[in-house]
Amino acid sequence: MNELVPTHETGPASLAEPIWKIRWKLTRRSLRQNWEIFKESRIGMLGIILIIAFGIFGAMWPIMINTVWDPMVYDPVVGFDPMMMHPSPPSGTHLLGTDPIGRDILAQLMHSTGREFLLGVLSALITVVIGTAVGTAAAYYGGLIDTFFMRIADIILLFPFIPLLVVVGAMVKLSFLPFAIIMGVLGGFGGITIILKAQALSVSVRPYIDAARVAGGSNFHIIVSHIIPNVLPLSFLYMMFSVTSAILSEATLSFFGVLNIDMSWGMMIHTADVAGYLFDFARYWWLWAPAGLAITLFCAAFYMVGRGLDEVVNPRLRKR
Amino acid sequence: MALPAATESKDVILEVSNLSKYYPVNQGFFTRQKSLLHAVDNVSFQVNRGEVLGLVGESGCGKTTTGRLIVRLATPTSGRILIEDTDVAEIKGQDMMEFRQKVQMIFQDPYESLDPRMTIFDIVAEPLNVNGIGTFEEREAQVEEMLSLVGLAPPSAFLFRFPHELSGGQRQRVAIARALVVRPSFVVADEPTSMLDVSIRTGIMKLMAQLREDLGISYLYITHDLAVARYLCDRIAVMYLGKIVELGNSEDIVKRPLHPYTKALISAVPVPDPAIDRPLPNIKGGVSKPIDPKPRCRFYDRCPESADSCAEAENPELRDIGGGHLVACHLL
């Protein structure tokens, strides 16, 4: 009955441009449209501005240390200013003062910014990649796979991992990269999986999934080209929130001094704490306030971007 | 089941025999006895090549389940489905690809059956893509040809649009193009017009009739609308609670309904004449649940003509009462 074999009388490829160019244009258009919606959200824009500000702040570090500052004095870890008593309050030479062992607070703050970005983004990326893959697989295949991963997620959610890491950290000092990976993996198998699984579940019962199956699509094809693209906006949203949680955990663990990280915002507060200056925190405010504020604003910035993205991803939240 | 012997198997494209699909309900830890929902219960029918068979019935009578079983979106509890003499349940691996090209489905809701993140081009080309048909240029030519065939012209104006930029009627045309782009010989159309405005409905129906002529497709047309079925279908099968109660030529069914349920259905179709005085359908009660049904006639509880003997008798079988008109009723 298939005597109507494909005829190519409409001519071969009558597309005006190569296909990748068209797709690129479509992607750009949809990004532009989403940006328009995102711009409407003040809280999201504030977040973006804060992140850019932190970016500039962090990018200034290598410039400062190579041009203005003397590495002997301003090195965040081994620097020492022999010209004054420590900790010294903010002054012309040390804009944010020095810590108990004579290191410049501003230099420490700047030096740490880039690391915090790297830690946050790296662990959030790991979280989202694992969360999306596991959530989608659990939703699509169900059964044993679903039960297995959901119980793991429950355990991670319920188990207090920060205290555990404090105890483990007392024995094995985790350095920067392993810590980012552990936070990413814990996040990926934890709460995010449940949220992304819920989304994947609602996608996988839509009629277009049946339609793809009738078209002859394999399970792999359906997951990769239908379910994941429809879960991805939510993944991206939760990536923002993951950054926040990774930074917070790092700050907490650094504060307890159980990480093998030479300098970070949490480490700065830790330094003040072990030297006993936090007992008189009002007088020695420059020892903890800059780092504390940086942690708060940095986490808030990513959270606010997440809130702004929420309105893009979830049309029901939009004001108009 | 007593069916008239299958006509020449050459002409039969789809043969469904004793097809059943039961879904378990309240399957808890502590409930030992599990109940079964009889979605499709011992159904047999055939579709001849080039024919359109309408499957008519109210919501929940199992017509969509029947369609899903035929395209293997669900596996039957028992019974057999033969499409062009291959058993659908036994298709595996490479044959599956062939089957997917031969049998396609058009879905009810054009707002939900197209992936919102794909362009029209990707949607229509997907069946070609996943089955590895043709080069990119060939696919593109086929997609364009198909789009103009379903009345989306010029195709280039639609290729790189997203579904949300199209109207309901246009989306359903895209869905039809997608189903037909692999040149299937058999298509299950699951209420393709029910979600559309009345004004667009005729356009889609005409298109489907036209495509049947042009491409020689056989349809199983699932609908709850007898008027649509009469317009499009050669034969109509009326389903009630998982059973076919009447099957015959469209005109026969509409003009001379024999089963009490069909009569009630026909009397419910609005007539565009205010002067006509129609008797009220005298059907009792609501739809009964098809969970663990009694073995008697499914329509017994609501039947206006039921005799006492119906209460005791087994469920009636489909019987030929002449001229290919099959009815399942004890009283005939």
Side-chain angles (χ1 to χ4, degrees):
Chain A
M1 195 40 65
N2 286 359
E3 75 267 304
L4 220 143
V5 284
T7 55
H8 298 306
E9 273 145 21
T10 39
S14 55
L15 296 180
E17 291 170 291
I19 186 81
W20 61 267
K21 226 170 176 178
I22 297 175
R23 288 195 202 283
W24 171 237
K25 274 188 182 163
L26 288 171
T27 315
R28 267 194 7 220
R29 197 184 67 190
S30 94
L31 281 179
R32 202 162 53 236
Q33 283 165 350
N34 287 336
W35 172 244
E36 291 297 322
I37 301 165
F38 184 82
K39 270 204 308 199
E40 298 277 302
S41 143
R42 278 198 201 142
I43 196 166
M45 284 310 284
L46 184 61
I48 287 273
I49 290 167
L50 274 173
I51 290 177
I52 291 173
F54 270 109
I56 295 170
F57 187 64
M60 269 161 61
W61 162 250
I63 303 171
M64 293 298 281
I65 196 70
N66 285 325
T67 57
V68 186
W69 287 341
D70 173 10
M72 290 298 280
V73 178
Y74 287 92
D75 187 281
V77 185
V78 296
F80 180 75
D81 190 346
M83 309 304 285
M84 53 179 68
M85 294 282 289
H86 301 293
S88 75
S91 63
T93 41
H94 301 286
L95 289 175
L96 285 174
T98 58
D99 76 353
I101 42 179
R103 305 178 291 191
D104 185 79
I105 298 274
L106 184 62
Q108 292 180 343
L109 211 55
M110 277 179 143
H111 170 77
S112 304
T113 309
R115 310 270 297 269
E116 305 288 346
F117 264 113
L118 194 62
L119 170 79
V121 171
L122 180 64
S123 92
L125 214 60
I126 295 172
T127 296
V128 159
V129 169
I130 294 178
T132 308
V134 169
T136 309
Y140 187 79
Y141 291 106
L144 258 181
I145 297 179
D146 182 25
T147 314
F148 178 71
F149 284 116
M150 286 305 111
R151 292 302 79 79
I152 288 187
D154 288 344
I155 290 169
I156 291 178
L157 265 187
L158 292 173
F159 201 84
F161 271 93
I162 296 288
L164 179 76
L165 282 177
V166 171
V167 175
V168 171
M171 295 178 277
V172 196
K173 297 252 182 202
L174 287 171
S175 59
F176 183 81
L177 202 61
F179 177 72
I181 292 169
I182 287 180
M183 286 314 296
V185 170
L186 281 183
F189 283 106
I192 298 237
T193 314
I194 299 177
I195 294 162
L196 296 181
K197 181 213 155 187
Q199 174 76 2
L201 206 54
S202 90
V203 170
S204 64
V205 294
R206 300 271 167 86
Y208 58 80
I209 301 298
D210 277 342
R213 201 166 291 138
V214 171
S218 59
N219 288 342
F220 181 76
H221 169 83
I222 289 172
I223 289 179
V224 169
S225 43
H226 293 281
I227 300 184
I228 289 187
N230 282 289
V231 173
L232 222 47
L234 199 71
S235 306
F236 190 58
L237 167 64
Y238 277 92
M239 190 173 149
M240 293 300 147
F241 298 137
S242 309
V243 171
T244 304
S245 76
I247 302 284
L248 276 181
S249 319
E250 186 273 340
T252 312
L253 291 176
S254 291
F255 173 74
F256 287 119
V258 293
L259 291 183
N260 182 19
I261 293 177
D262 52 8
M263 188 45 63
S264 75
W265 294 337
M267 204 63 199
M268 290 164 71
I269 304 178
H270 171 71
T271 310
D273 181 45
V274 291
Y277 286 95
L278 285 194
F279 289 110
D280 201 354
F281 62 88
R283 193 163 149 223
Y284 297 102
W285 60 270
W286 68 89
L287 292 181
W288 56 269
L293 200 66
I295 293 169
T296 312
L297 284 181
F298 195 75
C299 291
F302 280 95
Y303 178 76
M304 289 192 279
V305 171
R307 283 285 303 279
L309 277 178
D310 216 356
E311 289 182 25
V312 178
V313 173
N314 194 347
R316 262 175 300 178
L317 294 177
R318 281 177 213 163
K319 287 180 195 81
R320 57 193 164 95
Chain B
M1 228 175 158
L3 264 182
T7 39
E8 283 299 291
S9 73
K10 266 274 185 238
D11 293 318
V12 178
I13 187 160
L14 167 76
E15 184 170 357
V16 170
S17 36
N18 303 350
L19 182 69
S20 298
K21 176 68 180 176
Y22 302 154
Y23 289 103
V25 283
N26 65 16
Q27 196 180 17
F29 244 1
F30 302 107
T31 38
R32 302 254 332 242
Q33 185 74 48
K34 69 179 177 194
S35 301
L36 291 173
L37 185 145
H38 294 222
V40 178
D41 202 355
N42 210 357
V43 159
S44 304
F45 60 87
Q46 297 157 359
V47 179
N48 299 322
R49 204 176 276 285
E51 185 190 40
V52 180
L53 175 70
L55 200 55
V56 182
E58 60 195 23
S59 307
C61 72
K63 48 193 199 305
T64 297
T65 307
T66 309
R68 291 174 63 88
L69 288 170
I70 290 167
V71 299
R72 229 181 108 166
L73 279 175
T75 39
T77 310
S78 64
R80 223 155 55 122
I81 303 165
L82 290 178
I83 290 182
E84 287 183 340
D85 295 325
T86 32
D87 191 335
V88 171
E90 273 161 23
I91 298 171
K92 280 190 199 83
Q94 198 60 33
D95 296 339
M96 198 65 193
M97 257 161 111
E98 221 170 277
F99 172 73
R100 289 301 187 203
Q101 291 168 49
K102 215 156 59 183
V103 181
Q104 279 292 321
M105 182 162 181
I106 300 168
F107 290 85
Q108 179 172 9
D109 187 350
Y111 294 87
E112 282 281 321
S113 66
L114 308 177
D115 188 336
R117 303 204 156 259
M118 282 189 161
T119 60
I120 302 307
F121 172 72
D122 289 324
I123 290 170
V124 179
E126 188 180 26
L128 300 172
N129 269 333
V130 294
N131 291 305
I133 301 170
T135 62
F136 179 80
E137 281 77 20
E138 284 164 11
R139 283 177 207 161
E140 196 224 310
Q142 280 197 56
V143 168
E144 292 196 0
E145 186 192 337
M146 210 61 229
L147 283 178
S148 36
L149 209 57
V150 297
L152 294 174
S156 55
F158 292 93
L159 278 182
F160 295 101
R161 299 276 194 93
F162 285 94
H164 66 87
E165 297 174 279
L166 268 54
S167 71
Q170 287 173 330
R171 288 188 208 201
Q172 197 57 287
R173 284 170 196 269
V174 171
I176 292 172
R178 171 201 165 91
L180 302 188
V181 74
V182 285
R183 315 285 165 175
S185 42
F186 183 75
V187 171
V188 174
D190 184 6
E191 308 208 35
T193 58
S194 71
M195 301 295 279
L196 301 174
D197 282 356
V198 182
S199 53
I200 306 164
R201 223 172 259 182
T202 11
I204 298 288
M205 277 156 57
K206 279 197 181 120
L207 169 67
M208 296 199 52
Q210 184 64 43
L211 290 172
R212 171 199 175 192
E213 298 277 304
D214 292 353
L215 308 176
I217 301 168
S218 322
Y219 288 116
L220 176 69
Y221 197 95
I222 299 169
T223 179
H224 59 260
D225 191 337
L226 267 171
V228 171
R230 184 186 182 186
Y231 176 87
L232 266 178
C233 305
D234 303 313
R235 290 189 301 146
I236 293 179
V238 181
M239 259 183 110
Y240 183 76
L241 286 189
K243 293 251 185 215
I244 289 181
V245 293
E246 189 162 3
L247 198 162
N249 293 328
S250 299
E251 289 305 309
D252 270 358
I253 297 274
V254 174
K255 296 242 174 73
R256 287 179 297 282
L258 292 172
H259 195 276
Y261 178 65
T262 318
K263 285 181 195 164
L265 271 189
I266 304 265
S267 73
V269 173
V271 182
D273 181 358
I276 266 188
D277 191 22
R278 285 188 305 162
L280 283 171
N282 48 356
I283 224 173
K284 298 174 286 187
V287 191
S288 4
K289 286 227 162 63
I291 298 171
D292 294 337
K294 295 201 176 96
R296 69 181 174 210
C297 173
R298 292 290 152 83
F299 195 53
Y300 175 76
D301 295 327
R302 300 175 75 192
C303 186
E305 297 170 18
S306 61
D308 292 341
S309 60
C310 291
E312 302 305 320
E314 287 273 295
N315 189 63
E317 309 253 296
L318 270 181
R319 282 177 301 128
D320 196 340
I321 55 130
H325 194 144
L326 282 71
V327 187
C329 184
H330 291 304
L331 304 174
L332 292 167

